[in-house]
PDB file of all heavy atoms in Angstrom:
ATOM      1  N   GLU T 179      51.080  -7.324 -53.738  1.00 92.00           N
ATOM      2  CA  GLU T 179      50.181  -7.453 -54.901  1.00 92.00           C
ATOM      3  C   GLU T 179      49.230  -8.639 -54.795  1.00 92.00           C
ATOM      4  O   GLU T 179      48.106  -8.557 -55.285  1.00 92.00           O
ATOM      5  CB  GLU T 179      51.023  -7.569 -56.179  1.00 92.00           C
ATOM      6  CG  GLU T 179      51.809  -6.317 -56.532  1.00 92.00           C
ATOM      7  CD  GLU T 179      52.572  -6.452 -57.823  1.00 92.00           C
ATOM      8  OE1 GLU T 179      52.478  -7.530 -58.466  1.00 92.00           O
ATOM      9  OE2 GLU T 179      53.257  -5.497 -58.221  1.00 92.00           O
ATOM     10  N   ALA T 180      49.675  -9.714 -54.145  1.00 95.00           N
ATOM     11  CA  ALA T 180      48.819 -10.901 -54.071  1.00 95.00           C
ATOM     12  C   ALA T 180      48.913 -11.512 -52.672  1.00 95.00           C
ATOM     13  O   ALA T 180      49.370 -12.658 -52.493  1.00 95.00           O
ATOM     14  CB  ALA T 180      49.227 -11.923 -55.126  1.00 95.00           C
ATOM     15  N   PRO T 181      48.469 -10.760 -51.642  1.00 96.00           N
ATOM     16  CA  PRO T 181      48.550 -11.291 -50.272  1.00 96.00           C
ATOM     17  C   PRO T 181      47.461 -12.346 -50.030  1.00 96.00           C
ATOM     18  O   PRO T 181      46.462 -12.417 -50.752  1.00 96.00           O
ATOM     19  CB  PRO T 181      48.287 -10.062 -49.430  1.00 96.00           C
ATOM     20  CG  PRO T 181      47.353  -9.230 -50.257  1.00 96.00           C
ATOM     21  CD  PRO T 181      47.826  -9.441 -51.679  1.00 96.00           C
ATOM     22  N   VAL T 182      47.684 -13.141 -49.010  1.00 97.00           N
ATOM     23  CA  VAL T 182      46.675 -14.092 -48.567  1.00 97.00           C
ATOM     24  C   VAL T 182      45.436 -13.306 -48.126  1.00 97.00           C
ATOM     25  O   VAL T 182      45.524 -12.207 -47.580  1.00 97.00           O
ATOM     26  CB  VAL T 182      47.219 -14.945 -47.409  1.00 97.00           C
ATOM     27  CG1 VAL T 182      47.632 -14.113 -46.228  1.00 97.00           C
ATOM     28  CG2 VAL T 182      46.220 -16.017 -46.979  1.00 97.00           C
ATOM     29  N   ARG T 183      44.252 -13.853 -48.415  1.00 97.00           N
ATOM     30  CA  ARG T 183      43.024 -13.223 -47.926  1.00 97.00           C
ATOM     31  C   ARG T 183      42.972 -13.281 -46.407  1.00 97.00           C
ATOM     32  O   ARG T 183      43.486 -14.209 -45.784  1.00 97.00           O
ATOM     33  CB  ARG T 183      41.784 -13.925 -48.508  1.00 97.00           C
ATOM     34  CG  ARG T 183      41.541 -13.614 -49.957  1.00 97.00           C
ATOM     35  CD  ARG T 183      40.396 -14.410 -50.513  1.00 97.00           C
ATOM     36  NE  ARG T 183      39.178 -14.271 -49.732  1.00 97.00           N
ATOM     37  CZ  ARG T 183      38.019 -14.884 -50.042  1.00 97.00           C
ATOM     38  NH1 ARG T 183      37.950 -15.658 -51.104  1.00 97.00           N
ATOM     39  NH2 ARG T 183      36.965 -14.718 -49.288  1.00 97.00           N
ATOM     40  N   ILE T 184      42.352 -12.275 -45.797  1.00 97.00           N
ATOM     41  CA  ILE T 184      42.356 -12.188 -44.330  1.00 97.00           C
ATOM     42  C   ILE T 184      41.724 -13.410 -43.683  1.00 97.00           C
ATOM     43  O   ILE T 184      42.243 -13.927 -42.685  1.00 97.00           O
ATOM     44  CB  ILE T 184      41.638 -10.892 -43.886  1.00 97.00           C
ATOM     45  CG1 ILE T 184      42.586  -9.691 -44.088  1.00 97.00           C
ATOM     46  CG2 ILE T 184      41.174 -10.951 -42.449  1.00 97.00           C
ATOM     47  CD1 ILE T 184      42.000  -8.368 -43.769  1.00 97.00           C
ATOM     48  N   ARG T 185      40.669 -13.919 -44.234  1.00 96.00           N
ATOM     49  CA  ARG T 185      40.013 -15.080 -43.629  1.00 96.00           C
ATOM     50  C   ARG T 185      40.867 -16.336 -43.724  1.00 96.00           C
ATOM     51  O   ARG T 185      40.619 -17.316 -43.013  1.00 96.00           O
ATOM     52  CB  ARG T 185      38.637 -15.318 -44.228  1.00 96.00           C
ATOM     53  CG  ARG T 185      38.647 -15.766 -45.679  1.00 96.00           C
ATOM     54  CD  ARG T 185      37.251 -15.913 -46.261  1.00 96.00           C
ATOM     55  NE  ARG T 185      36.529 -16.996 -45.602  1.00 96.00           N
ATOM     56  CZ  ARG T 185      35.234 -17.234 -45.756  1.00 96.00           C
ATOM     57  NH1 ARG T 185      34.486 -16.402 -46.464  1.00 96.00           N
ATOM     58  NH2 ARG T 185      34.652 -18.241 -45.170  1.00 96.00           N
ATOM     59  N   GLU T 186      41.863 -16.334 -44.633  1.00 97.00           N
ATOM     60  CA  GLU T 186      42.706 -17.507 -44.841  1.00 97.00           C
ATOM     61  C   GLU T 186      44.069 -17.406 -44.135  1.00 97.00           C
ATOM     62  O   GLU T 186      44.903 -18.289 -44.282  1.00 97.00           O
ATOM     63  CB  GLU T 186      42.893 -17.761 -46.341  1.00 97.00           C
ATOM     64  CG  GLU T 186      41.557 -18.118 -47.025  1.00 97.00           C
ATOM     65  CD  GLU T 186      41.671 -18.177 -48.536  1.00 97.00           C
ATOM     66  OE1 GLU T 186      42.760 -17.849 -49.068  1.00 97.00           O
ATOM     67  OE2 GLU T 186      40.661 -18.493 -49.193  1.00 97.00           O
ATOM     68  N   ILE T 187      44.290 -16.310 -43.389  1.00 98.00           N
ATOM     69  CA  ILE T 187      45.492 -16.190 -42.589  1.00 98.00           C
ATOM     70  C   ILE T 187      45.504 -17.306 -41.547  1.00 98.00           C
ATOM     71  O   ILE T 187      44.459 -17.671 -40.986  1.00 98.00           O
ATOM     72  CB  ILE T 187      45.568 -14.817 -41.938  1.00 98.00           C
ATOM     73  CG1 ILE T 187      45.800 -13.733 -43.015  1.00 98.00           C
ATOM     74  CG2 ILE T 187      46.650 -14.727 -40.881  1.00 98.00           C
ATOM     75  CD1 ILE T 187      45.687 -12.307 -42.489  1.00 98.00           C
ATOM     76  N   ASN T 188      46.667 -17.849 -41.274  1.00 98.00           N
ATOM     77  CA  ASN T 188      46.796 -18.947 -40.312  1.00 98.00           C
ATOM     78  C   ASN T 188      45.994 -18.676 -39.041  1.00 98.00           C
ATOM     79  O   ASN T 188      46.063 -17.596 -38.466  1.00 98.00           O
ATOM     80  CB  ASN T 188      48.280 -19.136 -39.969  1.00 98.00           C
ATOM     81  CG  ASN T 188      48.529 -20.340 -39.110  1.00 98.00           C
ATOM     82  OD1 ASN T 188      48.219 -20.351 -37.930  1.00 98.00           O
ATOM     83  ND2 ASN T 188      49.119 -21.379 -39.700  1.00 98.00           N
ATOM     84  N   SER T 189      45.260 -19.683 -38.618  1.00 97.00           N
ATOM     85  CA  SER T 189      44.311 -19.502 -37.509  1.00 97.00           C
ATOM     86  C   SER T 189      44.959 -19.220 -36.172  1.00 97.00           C
ATOM     87  O   SER T 189      44.294 -18.829 -35.215  1.00 97.00           O
ATOM     88  CB  SER T 189      43.416 -20.741 -37.398  1.00 97.00           C
ATOM     89  OG  SER T 189      44.202 -21.889 -37.116  1.00 97.00           O
ATOM     90  N   ASN T 190      46.277 -19.429 -36.059  1.00 98.00           N
ATOM     91  CA  ASN T 190      46.947 -19.100 -34.795  1.00 98.00           C
ATOM     92  C   ASN T 190      47.080 -17.612 -34.559  1.00 98.00           C
ATOM     93  O   ASN T 190      47.311 -17.179 -33.432  1.00 98.00           O
ATOM     94  CB  ASN T 190      48.322 -19.763 -34.746  1.00 98.00           C
ATOM     95  CG  ASN T 190      48.255 -21.257 -34.470  1.00 98.00           C
ATOM     96  OD1 ASN T 190      47.492 -21.714 -33.621  1.00 98.00           O
ATOM     97  ND2 ASN T 190      48.998 -22.053 -35.255  1.00 98.00           N
ATOM     98  N   TYR T 191      46.916 -16.807 -35.608  1.00 98.00           N
ATOM     99  CA  TYR T 191      46.883 -15.348 -35.428  1.00 98.00           C
ATOM    100  C   TYR T 191      45.499 -14.945 -34.957  1.00 98.00           C
ATOM    101  O   TYR T 191      44.515 -15.136 -35.665  1.00 98.00           O
ATOM    102  CB  TYR T 191      47.185 -14.639 -36.736  1.00 98.00           C
ATOM    103  CG  TYR T 191      48.639 -14.664 -37.179  1.00 98.00           C
ATOM    104  CD1 TYR T 191      49.048 -15.460 -38.238  1.00 98.00           C
ATOM    105  CD2 TYR T 191      49.583 -13.880 -36.528  1.00 98.00           C
ATOM    106  CE1 TYR T 191      50.368 -15.488 -38.654  1.00 98.00           C
ATOM    107  CE2 TYR T 191      50.923 -13.916 -36.921  1.00 98.00           C
ATOM    108  CZ  TYR T 191      51.300 -14.724 -37.991  1.00 98.00           C
ATOM    109  OH  TYR T 191      52.628 -14.727 -38.383  1.00 98.00           O
ATOM    110  N   ASN T 192      45.406 -14.344 -33.766  1.00 97.00           N
ATOM    111  CA  ASN T 192      44.117 -13.867 -33.297  1.00 97.00           C
ATOM    112  C   ASN T 192      43.983 -12.346 -33.351  1.00 97.00           C
ATOM    113  O   ASN T 192      42.915 -11.807 -33.029  1.00 97.00           O
ATOM    114  CB  ASN T 192      43.794 -14.400 -31.890  1.00 97.00           C
ATOM    115  CG  ASN T 192      44.859 -14.060 -30.864  1.00 97.00           C
ATOM    116  OD1 ASN T 192      45.620 -13.101 -31.041  1.00 97.00           O
ATOM    117  ND2 ASN T 192      44.898 -14.839 -29.780  1.00 97.00           N
ATOM    118  N   VAL T 193      45.050 -11.642 -33.712  1.00 98.00           N
ATOM    119  CA  VAL T 193      45.011 -10.195 -33.946  1.00 98.00           C
ATOM    120  C   VAL T 193      45.735  -9.924 -35.251  1.00 98.00           C
ATOM    121  O   VAL T 193      46.872 -10.387 -35.461  1.00 98.00           O
ATOM    122  CB  VAL T 193      45.699  -9.427 -32.802  1.00 98.00           C
ATOM    123  CG1 VAL T 193      45.766  -7.940 -33.138  1.00 98.00           C
ATOM    124  CG2 VAL T 193      44.956  -9.639 -31.485  1.00 98.00           C
ATOM    125  N   ILE T 194      45.085  -9.172 -36.148  1.00 98.00           N
ATOM    126  CA  ILE T 194      45.652  -8.844 -37.453  1.00 98.00           C
ATOM    127  C   ILE T 194      45.689  -7.342 -37.585  1.00 98.00           C
ATOM    128  O   ILE T 194      44.655  -6.659 -37.462  1.00 98.00           O
ATOM    129  CB  ILE T 194      44.809  -9.468 -38.592  1.00 98.00           C
ATOM    130  CG1 ILE T 194      44.821 -11.009 -38.473  1.00 98.00           C
ATOM    131  CG2 ILE T 194      45.351  -9.032 -39.951  1.00 98.00           C
ATOM    132  CD1 ILE T 194      43.811 -11.699 -39.361  1.00 98.00           C
ATOM    133  N   TYR T 195      46.885  -6.812 -37.889  1.00 98.00           N
ATOM    134  CA  TYR T 195      47.052  -5.379 -38.093  1.00 98.00           C
ATOM    135  C   TYR T 195      46.945  -5.027 -39.588  1.00 98.00           C
ATOM    136  O   TYR T 195      47.724  -5.580 -40.390  1.00 98.00           O
ATOM    137  CB  TYR T 195      48.409  -4.910 -37.584  1.00 98.00           C
ATOM    138  CG  TYR T 195      48.564  -4.848 -36.113  1.00 98.00           C
ATOM    139  CD1 TYR T 195      49.322  -5.797 -35.417  1.00 98.00           C
ATOM    140  CD2 TYR T 195      47.989  -3.802 -35.385  1.00 98.00           C
ATOM    141  CE1 TYR T 195      49.498  -5.720 -34.061  1.00 98.00           C
ATOM    142  CE2 TYR T 195      48.164  -3.739 -34.005  1.00 98.00           C
ATOM    143  CZ  TYR T 195      48.909  -4.676 -33.356  1.00 98.00           C
ATOM    144  OH  TYR T 195      49.071  -4.600 -32.009  1.00 98.00           O
TER     145      TYR T 195
END
Side-chain angles (χ1 to χ4, degrees):
E179 294 182 0
V182 59
R183 286 175 54 180
I184 283 177
R185 68 183 294 169
E186 295 171 357
I187 291 171
N188 186 287
S189 61
N190 285 316
Y191 286 108
N192 56 22
V193 174
I194 299 168
Y195 286 106

